[in-house]
Amino acid sequence: MFKKFLRPFKILFIIVIIIIIVPHSIFPSQTSDNDSITLNDYIILNNKETRLSDFKDDEEALKLKVAQLSVINKSRKKNRVPEVKLDILACRVANKMCKEAAENQYLSHWNLAGEKPYHRYAFAGGNDHVSENAYGESTTGMFAHSSQTIADMMKQGHNSFMAERAPADGHRKNIIEKSHNFVGIGYYLTINQFRYYEEFIDRYLEFENVTSELRINETSSITLNTNGKVFPFFMIIYSEPKPAPMSPGQLNRKGSYSDFSDQEYLSVPAWDLAKYRKGSIYRIPVSFSREGLYYIQIFTDKKEIINPVKLSTKGKTISSGIVIKVMK
């Protein structure tokens, strides 16, 4: 009787041991991509990046940003969207904007040259799509200058975005947009001004030798590699005049920004884009008949469309933010 009574418990004990041990030895580890990226990895990437070197982060600043990255990813995880990684170029673009905004005491999505986020990122050498959040603090006294102050104020800025409620919740929606896979973090602290910017990036294409300037009617091409993971779904080219400088007062009166102009220059559907594919490489010709700036958005999808059908870009990922300046 006694032995028969113990046997079920011995079996249960063995099962418990198996449950504890097996996940660590047989089942795949459920870790995110960010778990394998260390501060040292970002330091290496930071040292390799040559663009906007005047706005390069030192190791202490990079450490603060990696910590803030965790804050951002906690917000994304709570909303069941994938984590983002830190983008070094976008950090420098944000640093430059934060410095100018703090020193000139304005808060805006435009800079003094009148450039929007996609202008600034493209002019720095970025080709991906960018979406910006901006936060600022000022005091009539003096801010304490310390790493802890900066860390606390970055968290405060991010938390203010996440506290937004519909319909005025654009910053919050930007943070939890599932298509984002990278983010640039910028900050700048003066005696009485603090600025904090988040530059969310959608990177799904690899671009090669994208030109930033062309002459009227000169032909070039946008060369991109999808690595077989996505397909170009739609390309829209918007035209716009050269940005006009603005004063700090004008900038402070500006609100949210539109991610394109109201002048559509050209649109190319999936089946026409498919004609330029060889393997996973696309070479899409571009040419412009008048002066100005041209902002190119390429939408992507997981399926290739080679025959004409009705298309909608709603819910599709914008995977480019190319800006080309066209001159006489």
Side-chain angles (χ1 to χ4, degrees), residues 281-295:
I281 305 294
Y282 290 75
R283 287 185 173 83
I284 306 168
V286 289
S287 180
F288 305 95
S289 60
R290 57 179 182 265
E291 286 185 280
L293 290 184
Y294 293 85
Y295 177 44

Side-chain angles (χ1 to χ4, degrees), residues 235-248:
M235 183 175 79
I236 303 178
I237 303 179
Y238 298 94
S239 64
E240 54 187 271
K242 181 181 177 181
M246 287 184 276
S247 68

Side-chain angles (χ1 to χ4, degrees), residues 32-50:
S32 68
D33 289 340
N34 279 306
D35 291 334
S36 60
I37 302 178
T38 65
L39 173 61
N40 189 59
D41 293 325
Y42 283 123
I43 290 172
I44 293 171
L45 290 172
N46 192 38
N47 289 333
K48 287 182 177 179
E49 178 59 72
T50 59

Side-chain angles (χ1 to χ4, degrees), residues 47 66 76 106-107 112 120 152 154 156 212 220 243 287 320:
N47 289 333
V66 170
R76 289 179 64 84
Y106 73 82
L107 180 65
L112 290 172
R120 300 194 304 273
D152 290 344
M154 285 197 293
Q156 182 176 318
S212 59
S220 183
S287 180
S320 76

Side-chain angles (χ1 to χ4, degrees), residues 76 79-84 173-181 202 204 315 317:
R76 289 179 64 84
N79 288 273
R80 300 179 181 180
V81 294
E83 293 184 351
V84 291
K173 285 180 177 178
N174 191 21
I175 291 168
I176 62 174
E177 168 56 50
K178 65 180 181 180
S179 65
H180 299 332
N181 49 12
D202 301 324
Y204 295 90
T317 300

Side-chain angles (χ1 to χ4, degrees), residues 158-289:
H158 179 80
N159 289 339
S160 74
F161 298 149
M162 291 304 298
E164 292 176 346
R165 294 292 177 264
D169 60 343
H171 297 100
R172 180 179 181 277
K173 285 180 177 178
N174 191 21
I175 291 168
I176 62 174
E177 168 56 50
K178 65 180 181 180
S179 65
H180 299 332
N181 49 12
F182 288 86
V183 66
I185 298 171
Y187 69 80
Y188 197 80
L189 181 65
T190 68
I191 293 174
N192 60 359
Q193 300 287 327
F194 175 76
R195 296 294 182 271
Y196 169 70
Y197 278 63
E198 296 172 343
E199 312 288 349
F200 287 95
I201 304 295
D202 301 324
R203 178 171 297 145
Y204 295 90
L205 302 171
E206 293 180 9
F207 293 94
E208 300 175 11
N209 303 319
V210 175
T211 185
S212 59
E213 294 185 356
L214 285 174
R215 298 288 181 182
I216 291 177
N217 294 325
E218 180 183 0
T219 300
S220 183
S221 63
I222 297 173
T223 302
L224 59 92
N225 189 346
T226 67
N227 292 309
K229 296 179 180 179
V230 294
F231 296 93
F233 178 82
F234 210 84
M235 183 175 79
I236 303 178
I237 303 179
Y238 298 94
S239 64
E240 54 187 271
K242 181 181 177 181
M246 287 184 276
S247 68
Q250 289 174 310
L251 292 169
N252 280 325
R253 291 191 291 272
K254 302 283 283 184
S256 59
Y257 71 97
S258 59
D259 189 37
F260 46 83
S261 73
D262 58 0
Q263 298 295 319
E264 185 177 313
Y265 178 78
L266 178 68
S267 61
V268 186
W271 50 89
D272 284 335
L273 293 170
K275 298 175 184 177
Y276 304 116
R277 180 172 72 85
K278 288 187 177 180
S280 63
I281 305 294
Y282 290 75
R283 287 185 173 83
I284 306 168
V286 289
S287 180
F288 305 95
S289 60

Side-chain angles (χ1 to χ4, degrees), residues 7 14 18 22 57 127 155 200 205 215 232 243 246 301:
R7 187 175 180 182
I14 293 170
I18 291 172
V22 167
D57 289 309
N127 294 311
K155 289 179 184 177
F200 287 95
L205 302 171
R215 298 288 181 182
M246 287 184 276
D301 195 18

